[in-house]
Amino acid sequence: MMPAWLDIGRPKLDDLMAGLLVSALLLPQSLAYALLAGLPPLAGVMASLLPLLAYALIGSSTTLAVGPVAVLALMIGEAVTTLGPAFGVTPMTVALLLSTEIALLLLGAVLLRLDALGALLSAPVMQGFVSGSALAIAGGQVGPLLGLQWAPERLWPRADALTTGFGLVALALLVAARQWGVRGLQGIGLGPVRAQRLARMVPLLLVVLTIGAVAWLQARGQAADLALAGRIAFGDVAGPAALASAPLGLWRAALPAALMIALVGYVSSLGVAQGLGARRNERVQPRRELLGLAAANGVAALSGGMPIAGSFSRSGLVAEAGARTRWTGVFMALAFALWVGLGAQWLALLPQAVLAATIIVAVLPMAKLGGLRRAWRYSRSEAALMAGVTVAVPLLGVEMALGLGVLGAVALLLQQTARPHWAEVGRLPGTELFRNTKRFTVERLPAVLTIRVDEGLRFTNALWIRDVLGAELAARPEVRHLVLMMSGVNDIDLSGLEALTQLARDLRAQGLQLHLSELKGPVADRLSAAGLHDWLPGVVFRTQAEAWAALQAEGKEPGSHWVSP
Amino acid sequence: MMPAWLDIGRPKLDDLMAGLLVSALLLPQSLAYALLAGLPPLAGVMASLLPLLAYALIGSSTTLAVGPVAVLALMIGEAVTTLGPAFGVTPMTVALLLSTEIALLLLGAVLLRLDALGALLSAPVMQGFVSGSALAIAGGQVGPLLGLQWAPERLWPRADALTTGFGLVALALLVAARQWGVRGLQGIGLGPVRAQRLARMVPLLLVVLTIGAVAWLQARGQAADLALAGRIAFGDVAGPAALASAPLGLWRAALPAALMIALVGYVSSLGVAQGLGARRNERVQPRRELLGLAAANGVAALSGGMPIAGSFSRSGLVAEAGARTRWTGVFMALAFALWVGLGAQWLALLPQAVLAATIIVAVLPMAKLGGLRRAWRYSRSEAALMAGVTVAVPLLGVEMALGLGVLGAVALLLQQTARPHWAEVGRLPGTELFRNTKRFTVERLPAVLTIRVDEGLRFTNALWIRDVLGAELAARPEVRHLVLMMSGVNDIDLSGLEALTQLARDLRAQGLQLHLSELKGPVADRLSAAGLHDWLPGVVFRTQAEAWAALQAEGKEPGSHWVSP
């Protein structure tokens, strides 16, 4: 019997329509992204067939369209360019090896319950990385789009007129279809649903038209300079045999790239799936997604496909087309197989300039530089990180950019916890509320200094806290009681515990008392277990209001003791 | 005119006595730690003269006794052993270069206000590192203590009887003086103060006695096999000239070691100074300490001394002896100069076995394995980190151990923030207090789910929060309002902001409302600036009590809106 979670439900007509529609975009993208990664077209074709079935069976999202994606293609391309020559193997071998390692890494993450590791790619790092990748990819496609050729004796490249023509017409057609397609088709009398469907078929139409044009030009002997996609050589399908021949050193050398690709693939897929899923009240399960991507990449490796993930553009289209079950992916793969089967020998005639136009149109919307402006308004340091990662992708390469981004995010977190926000608080008159003395007009008791620390007491701020509190107390010689209001202290690590006990000892030596209030349950439990009442000279108050009442009753008489309630 | 902070006050008689007393320990330790670092005795002697004056002028602690210290000697020894042969320079050149780089790094830290970087060495890492170093040092001294000699044809080393005799007698004398010295001397009629002072002079007495014994043995031709400290060759004082001849590559190669030594030296010195200072109500200023250590290391480099820091054992002795101003350091240096001046040629006769005994007695109390047990009770993960660092020092070396320790501490912090504590809260009957439903008997409103998140919303938990809240809501289909009680949310980074806006969007799509309560001032400011009221479908309540009142009044009717107060 099949486990319940493998049951993908009954196929709906909507799923068939959505699969058909999106396959029209998948066809040129699969070829384009293979070329972008420096691989033969076959690597993209094989990544668009069986992996889709594997994900449909095991994944959890009804909208995620897996297959070759642009950002991964850029990363794969970098790895292929460096590792292939170094180990004397074909690009295809490197790609299959990456697919295998990615599948194993994702599977390992499932087994070790490491799905939370995706958090390492913070929002600014991921957004900066995607923007930078989009710019790097689009920039790299200008050459193929215009058929630019560099000659050693010239400073500027020469553009091939025929290629430029194909490239710019394709670009114009795709942009026009996206911007005005639906409205234009409605203008000539089509219903809204039909107009939208037809506009979505434009990529397929473009493929058919340009292949026809190239065939006509070739028959007249006029397409010699036009770079074409090239033959999809099904006889070359590689698989386990290619992997077996890969040298052992390559497996180790490819691991960092595989790790990065797996991380980016997982986080971006999860983001897309959660974003689209939320609109339709669908709960995406991170661990199921990990498993689905692991299976899809494993199947890609076995069937000769490049590494895969969820595509931004195609998944959006799936959602828009009203897909309802994961059968959509099955239909998409079948339709794709149909197009390729019908026209394999014709697809070889597709000009690379047209594929370049497809890539540019797909990736440019991913470069969200407006996000940078919004980020700047919220957090300058995180916006700087985002901008840094964006710029680093074209300048330093994807792996370096990503590594620096993760390090930068961790450094920012350490810095934030190192200098926490703190405030002296007083009582809002007539209430039991305690607020920052700098923001509100509040009452204070003369012999009492109440400080609210808005951060866990951890090693990053353990030295700082002693210093700050010492300076505050030195400025207020009349104070006899220091109350730490712990409502914002979510955690105290060993360094924080040591700082706190030393603070208590310091204060006791000066004839002052240290009290705590509003301790959170888990923090109080651990402090008690560590013998809090042995070293705390003062009282642990349940609430700040109780601390106020007790210390007010005591007046200004220094040094008397209470027993903790 | 001298700035006020350079004024070290008038010398007191207590300072003179303390300086004299501690110089008796400084004499053998300076020679021993130089040998431990693989340097000629002169490197320890020069590190115990002028650097003490520089620190007295610039530092801020009245108790910190700077000079050669054991843990640093171990680190210097590792650097000297690897870098010296690699660059074909003498150990002394490496040591001076380290002193210079440490001085510059500390100075740079002052200028860039990086004193908080000391926080990188968390309490468990520092404690584990010191314990591990103590064990490694003590273990390494067993050979010199017993005069062990390995012969290739034997499995076990041979001990030299004369050396073993010197070593064990010295060890016994030092341990006895520390354990029973004061009581014993009081037993034979001395007053407590005089007894304590005399007991503290035992290391000096030991030096004099063993030198006498060696001289007597040498005169009879019986000390040939005894390894001695060796001549203090004042003619060899190195300085800027030695540095100028160092190859440029060495400067770069020594930088990681210099960085680690600077960090350990600063953090351990600050810890000692703060610990001893607190007992006498003295505020130690981290930045002044940085500057004082920078100056002292710079002076060490210029005058031919090894890198220095504050010593655990000698600083404790300074405090115990009742020093009152930083003149103590000046007197200590002067007394030290006197001993060395009087007996330089005699000090060459000091057996290495006696120095080994001095080292063992100084470092073993630093291996606080009891701290590990206490740490285990408080936090198993941090205790494991501490134990790991302790074991790593002898096994992997100081740099690796320290690097792994810092990485481990950061990983633990990330892990803690990644899976924060959270609780559903309800109202304590008859109060306005809201507590964890699992810990207290509280009231809940049927259509309202109130969750208190006890951690900043940061990239480490941004994926998690959406998942956890989604699961809670899925289990409670009757809920119409989700209130996030933000009293423990000290910070929201961009990833957290994105998670929150997406959560609001998800909930709106499901006909649920998201409200916030008890926002902290700085967090509320930033959320408002980021357009909180544009995307939040619900209300921002000042307190949880107000949220309760408003949602109770609304009853179970779903979907109505309030305007934020």
Side-chain angles (χ1 to χ4, degrees), chain A residues 113-124 127 266-267 270-271 274-275 278-281 283-287 374-379 382-383 386 406 409-410 413-414 416-419 421 428 433 435 439-440 452-456 458-463 466-468 470-471 474 487-498 502 505-506 509-510 518 520-523 525-527 529-530 542-543 546, chain B residues 113-124 127 266-267 270-271 274-275 278-281 283-287 374-379 382-383 386 406 409-410 413-414 416-419 421 428 433 435 439-440 452-456 458-463 466-468 470-471 474 487-498 502 505-506 509-510 518 520-523 525-527 529-530 542-543 546:
Chain A
R113 302 179 159 259
L114 294 180
D115 44 301
L117 269 191
L120 273 183
L121 287 190
S122 63
Q127 207 170 321
Y266 167 58
V267 173
L270 189 64
Q274 283 186 331
R279 296 189 207 155
R280 42 173 66 199
N281 210 346
R283 237 166 77 65
V284 174
Q285 300 158 41
R287 207 161 286 154
R374 274 196 306 281
W376 180 259
R377 280 203 302 265
Y378 188 71
S379 160
E382 287 188 278
M386 193 192 290
V406 171
V410 171
L413 175 63
L414 290 180
Q416 278 164 357
T417 65
R419 297 283 159 112
H421 179 260
L428 282 178
L433 300 176
R435 292 289 186 267
R439 286 175 174 261
F440 296 86
R452 193 189 70 206
V453 178
D454 291 350
E455 186 64 65
R458 294 183 174 127
F459 72 92
T460 52
N461 53 40
L463 294 177
R466 210 165 152 183
D467 208 41
V468 157
S487 53
V489 175
N490 301 311
D491 187 47
I492 300 182
D493 73 5
L494 268 177
S495 310
L497 179 67
E498 197 180 296
Q502 281 172 349
R505 203 184 306 138
D506 295 3
Q510 299 166 37
E518 312 243 340
K520 300 209 158 166
V523 175
D525 289 350
R526 290 178 71 202
L527 283 182
R542 201 168 53 133
T543 66
E546 286 177 13
Chain B
R113 301 176 162 262
L114 295 179
D115 44 300
L117 270 191
L120 273 184
L121 288 190
S122 63
Q127 206 168 319
Y266 167 59
V267 174
L270 189 65
Q274 282 185 331
R279 294 188 209 159
R280 41 172 68 198
N281 209 348
R283 237 165 75 66
V284 173
Q285 300 158 41
R287 209 161 284 155
R374 276 196 305 280
W376 180 260
R377 280 202 303 264
Y378 188 70
S379 160
E382 288 188 278
M386 192 190 291
V406 171
V410 170
L413 175 63
L414 290 180
Q416 278 164 357
T417 66
R419 298 282 161 111
H421 179 260
L428 282 179
L433 301 176
R435 292 289 186 269
R439 285 174 175 262
F440 296 86
R452 193 188 71 205
V453 178
D454 291 350
E455 186 65 64
R458 294 186 175 123
F459 71 91
T460 49
N461 53 41
L463 294 176
R466 209 164 154 184
D467 208 40
V468 157
S487 53
V489 175
N490 300 310
D491 187 48
I492 301 181
D493 73 5
L494 269 176
S495 311
L497 179 67
E498 197 180 297
Q502 282 173 349
R505 203 184 305 139
D506 295 3
Q510 299 166 35
E518 312 240 343
K520 300 208 160 169
V523 174
D525 290 351
R526 290 177 71 200
L527 284 182
R542 201 167 53 131
T543 66
E546 287 176 14

Side-chain angles (χ1 to χ4, degrees), chain A residues 471-555:
Chain A
E472 276 302 293
L473 284 171
R476 298 269 296 272
E478 74 280 11
V479 164
R480 308 314 315 154
H481 300 276
L482 174 64
V483 183
L484 289 183
M485 183 173 163
M486 309 285 273
S487 53
V489 175
N490 301 311
D491 187 47
I492 300 182
D493 73 5
L494 268 177
S495 310
L497 179 67
E498 197 180 296
L500 209 55
T501 52
Q502 281 172 349
L503 180 70
R505 203 184 306 138
D506 295 3
L507 293 184
R508 194 201 292 268
Q510 299 166 37
L512 293 175
Q513 292 201 337
L514 173 67
H515 311 281
L516 306 178
S517 74
E518 312 243 340
L519 274 174
K520 300 209 158 166
V523 175
D525 289 350
R526 290 178 71 202
L527 283 182
S528 292
L532 170 70
H533 296 286
D534 298 341
W535 53 260
L536 189 74
V539 186
V540 177
F541 296 106
R542 201 168 53 133
T543 66
Q544 181 55 34
E546 286 177 13
W548 176 276
L551 295 172
Q552 189 176 38
E554 196 232 4

Side-chain angles (χ1 to χ4, degrees), chain A residues 181-324:
Chain A
V182 179
R183 219 180 326 147
L185 290 170
Q186 280 183 275
I188 59 169
L190 268 71
V193 173
R194 195 165 288 181
Q196 197 170 45
R197 280 189 186 157
L198 201 58
R200 296 304 172 212
M201 296 303 277
V202 165
L204 188 63
L205 189 72
L206 179 69
V207 167
V208 172
L209 285 180
T210 49
I211 287 176
V214 171
W216 183 75
L217 285 170
Q218 274 191 338
R220 312 184 64 193
Q222 291 176 345
D225 283 346
L226 200 62
L228 302 179
R231 208 168 59 87
I232 303 175
F234 283 105
D236 293 350
V237 165
L243 289 177
S245 71
L248 205 65
L250 178 57
W251 286 88
R252 220 184 32 235
L255 207 54
L259 199 62
M260 298 254 184
I261 296 173
L263 192 59
V264 168
Y266 167 58
V267 173
S268 64
S269 302
L270 189 64
V272 168
Q274 283 186 331
L276 295 172
R279 296 189 207 155
R280 42 173 66 199
N281 210 346
E282 168 184 301
R283 237 166 77 65
V284 174
Q285 300 158 41
R287 207 161 286 154
R288 276 282 293 282
E289 287 307 297
L290 265 182
L291 200 59
L293 289 173
N297 274 292
V299 168
L302 294 176
S303 64
M306 64 196 283
I308 65 100
S311 152
F312 289 84
S313 52
R314 299 196 300 276
S315 301
L317 212 50
V318 167
E320 189 189 294
R324 289 163 66 189

